[in-house]
Amino acid sequence: MDNQQFETKAIRTQTARSPHGEHAAPIYTTSSFVFEDAEDARAQFANEKEGDIYTRYSNPNNNELVEKLCAMEGTEDGFATASGMAAMFTSLAAFVGQGDHVLASRSLFGSTHQILTQILPKWGVSHTYVDVSTPIEEWEQHIRPETKMIFVETPSNPALDILDLEALAQLANKHGIILNVDNCFATPYLQNPAKLGAHIVTHSATKYMDGQGRTIAGVILGKAELIEKVRFFGRHTGPALSPFNGWIISKSLETLAIRMERHCANALDLAQTLESHEEINWVKYPHLPSHPQYELAKKQMKLGGGIVSFEIKGGVERGRRFLDALQMLSLTANLGDSRSIATHPASTTHSKLSPEERLNVGITDGLIRISCGLEHIQDIMADILQAIEVSAEVQA
Ligand SMILES: *Cc1c(COP(=O)(O)O)cnc(C)c1O
């Protein structure tokens, strides 16, 4: 198995066949599992023998998902959760407590920001944010004796800034702290933080892993001794993934590689076209040579990802008119779907921040984020180009 390619592991990692000899894995919708006898029950509870006891602890569908993702990310062990946020919270809460400190990049998913600023402080855990533009050498001055974790996302949402994971891992190792990377935007197909030195890799599996906007799921992957702590916390606090959702995500991973190839090809094509459009101020895409961290993005990511950000001329109002003019693209709070999605962060997800706070995370008033789907690129492009045109006309 170990020498198989990524695509093969994604397809051939499968839970053991039942006596029925099914080809595709069945869904194990059971709350608990039966012990062979009293001694078996005692040994499993004593952790002397491996086995599934109760679905809050483990389940064949979730075990398959975790084993598969470990093979795809290059990690030793993992724990599947009911949502991406359950993964983010569990991966923090399992390691920090009263008096501890987390160093994080400022550009984080909205709910992760709420955990760090509103929830963990209630339990005496503080944090410091560093702008993504800060050189890694300068992150070191914010590390304190009580710093337990560095938490980052790369590429960042929605500005698509790139952080140097190898440099961050060196910094974390020097200080004996955990580097936790939310790898949702890149997926294991484009970027493997653990291979660059990250100790924990977290995902919202809701996005590209599902890939069709059907379900919510998350996963925490990493070194075995760290996942031991995550598993203890997860088993007793109950963020377990439903086996049905675990089955959906595991089946979807069989096509992750080919889907990401197309998502990325469509996104690159769109980014290149928009870059020369006169109604667009700038386009941000990790694998466009105009991206400020193009070299790093090329080194760290196999392809540029499925998300394109650009600034349309005319600020907040033009951004809103652009969304209203779209005919095919969906206006919805998701990404990584087979259907293309447009969002305008300044008037929606980030509207509660001040304009200055928005600029700190790279969000200008006219910024539009496109999650490039799997429709034909000509149709995606045609809808965006006509919306640019229609939204400009109203302005005159
Ligand atoms: C969506 C998302 C999350 C949260 O995941 P859910 O599955 O919605 O709970 C966390 N991080 C990033 C980067 C995301 O895009």
Side-chain angles (χ1 to χ4, degrees):
M1 278 293 272
D2 269 0
N3 55 10
Q4 284 179 344
Q5 299 300 311
F6 183 93
E7 289 81 351
T8 313
K9 289 175 179 167
I11 291 169
R12 288 289 172 180
T13 307
Q14 192 171 328
T15 193
R17 262 183 206 132
S18 83
H20 294 291
E22 71 282 345
H23 191 205
I27 308 172
Y28 289 89
T29 50
T30 177
S31 313
S32 64
F33 300 83
V34 178
F35 303 111
E36 281 165 29
D37 50 31
E39 171 52 22
D40 182 40
R42 187 208 59 79
Q44 286 205 41
F45 269 101
N47 275 338
E48 287 168 18
K49 195 173 165 189
E50 270 198 32
D52 296 311
I53 298 175
Y54 191 65
T55 286
R56 170 155 45 77
Y57 287 19
S58 67
N59 174 286
N61 293 112
N62 296 346
N63 299 346
E64 175 186 296
L65 175 65
V66 163
E67 196 191 322
K68 184 180 284 194
L69 282 170
C70 282
M72 294 165 84
E73 278 286 21
T75 51
E76 293 171 358
D77 201 359
F79 186 77
T81 57
S83 69
M85 284 326 300
M88 303 310 147
F89 180 71
T90 303
S91 73
L92 278 155
F95 297 105
V96 296
Q98 175 71 36
D100 290 339
H101 172 256
V102 177
L103 183 60
S105 63
R106 190 181 301 280
S107 299
L108 291 179
F109 185 71
S111 294
T112 310
H113 168 73
Q114 300 296 353
I115 289 175
L116 287 173
T117 58
Q118 307 293 326
I119 298 172
L120 287 181
K122 290 197 291 186
W123 293 308
V125 178
S126 64
H127 72 282
T128 303
Y129 277 148
V130 181
D131 288 342
V132 281
S133 57
T134 307
I136 302 298
E137 310 85 74
E138 290 174 32
W139 285 56
E140 189 162 21
Q141 67 202 48
H142 301 287
I143 294 179
R144 309 177 192 165
E146 61 272 24
T147 305
K148 287 280 154 49
M149 183 178 281
I150 299 178
F151 191 105
V152 298
E153 278 172 36
T154 180
S156 71
N157 176 25
L160 303 176
D161 290 303
I162 309 290
L163 285 165
D164 187 335
L165 291 177
E166 223 166 352
L168 281 170
Q170 275 168 16
L171 182 63
N173 285 334
K174 182 174 163 195
H175 292 270
I177 58 186
I178 297 168
L179 173 62
N180 185 344
V181 180
D182 178 343
N183 198 31
C184 167
F185 266 45
T187 81
Y189 185 60
L190 304 184
Q191 170 175 286
N192 298 128
K195 291 182 184 163
L196 301 171
H199 309 98
I200 297 271
V201 181
T202 37
H203 279 281
S204 164
T206 311
K207 313 296 168 52
Y208 292 104
M209 287 192 190
D210 174 26
Q212 294 170 68
R214 298 165 297 185
T215 190
I216 301 277
V219 68
I220 305 159
L221 305 162
K223 293 197 180 301
E225 73 263 25
L226 297 179
I227 296 300
E228 229 9 83
K229 295 192 171 163
V230 166
R231 185 174 289 115
F232 172 81
F233 186 93
R235 281 183 169 193
H236 301 296
T237 57
L241 178 62
S242 129
F244 180 71
N245 291 346
W247 175 84
I248 291 181
I249 305 288
S250 186
K251 289 303 284 177
S252 280
L253 287 174
E254 295 184 9
T255 56
L256 182 74
I258 54 172
R259 287 187 286 110
M260 290 314 293
E261 288 282 344
R262 183 61 68 84
H263 278 295
C264 296
N266 283 353
L268 179 62
D269 201 344
L270 178 67
Q272 285 167 339
T273 303
L274 293 180
E275 199 164 40
S276 58
H277 197 293
E278 56 185 17
E279 289 294 311
I280 303 297
N281 284 331
W282 48 258
V283 177
K284 199 100 162 270
Y285 184 70
H287 279 202
L288 272 190
S290 59
H291 191 288
Q293 294 134 311
Y294 175 66
E295 294 303 327
L296 177 60
K298 277 277 183 183
K299 189 176 113 196
Q300 203 164 274
M301 297 171 71
K302 185 183 169 89
L303 297 165
I307 312 285
V308 179
S309 289
F310 61 88
E311 187 183 68
I312 191 162
K313 291 183 179 167
V316 175
E317 282 313 309
R318 174 76 182 276
R320 286 165 53 95
R321 284 201 306 275
F322 171 81
L323 288 196
D324 284 339
L326 289 166
Q327 292 176 352
M328 180 183 80
L329 266 69
S330 312
L331 308 187
T332 184
N334 196 15
L335 63 93
D337 196 306
S338 53
R339 291 158 287 197
S340 296
I341 296 166
T343 50
H344 180 224
S347 70
T348 58
T349 47
H350 294 72
S351 61
K352 293 207 178 62
L353 303 186
S354 70
E356 198 202 338
E357 286 174 316
R358 280 202 290 271
L359 281 181
N360 280 338
V361 290
I363 300 172
T364 59
D365 285 349
L367 185 142
I368 304 282
R369 188 193 76 187
I370 305 288
S371 168
C372 232
L374 302 177
E375 305 97 337
H376 198 286
I377 184 60
Q378 281 175 15
D379 296 320
I380 299 171
M381 202 91 84
D383 194 26
I384 291 171
L385 293 176
Q386 70 78 26
I388 292 173
E389 209 171 299
V390 169
S391 59
E393 279 162 11
V394 189
Q395 196 181 24

